[in-house]
Amino acid sequence: MTQYNTILKVLESGRKLTTKQARTFGITNLSARISELRAEGYGIYTNRNSKGTHYKLGQPSREMVRLAYAIGGQDVFGGR
């Protein structure tokens, strides 16, 4: 299984993923893989606290969609 698929499998199951957990799967640059998934359109959120950083899959709020559309126009969502 690729790193990409491993990350998706964890996140789509509803679990959070930390850098430490990712290393157990052989993923050493989690932030780069997360950026790639975001570029593919996955709504992955970063949460930081005193214990570290974790990522989770979610749905963007209406406000986030509105702002993305305001900044990038219809091309942000694949329209023309």
Side-chain angles (χ1 to χ4, degrees):
M1 185 177 301
T2 66
Q3 291 182 2
Y4 188 93
N5 291 336
T6 299
I7 294 167
L8 276 179
K9 183 177 177 181
V10 170
L11 296 178
E12 287 177 338
S13 73
R15 295 180 293 173
K16 299 174 185 176
L17 185 63
T18 66
T19 301
K20 184 177 179 179
Q21 292 168 325
R23 284 189 196 120
T24 67
F25 298 115
I27 301 167
T28 57
N29 193 347
L30 180 58
S31 63
R33 301 296 79 78
I34 294 295
S35 292
E36 292 166 1
L37 288 165
R38 286 177 176 150
E40 292 292 321
Y42 290 95
I44 299 174
Y45 294 88
T46 303
N47 293 299
R48 292 181 178 90
N49 60 33
S50 61
K51 295 180 181 180
T53 301
H54 69 267
Y55 300 92
K56 70 179 211 169
L57 189 61
Q59 294 294 320
S61 67
R62 289 182 68 188
E63 181 65 8
M64 289 180 76
V65 172
R66 185 190 70 73
L67 287 171
Y69 190 83
I71 293 168
Q74 65 186 9
D75 291 340
V76 169
F77 301 102
R80 288 242 169 207

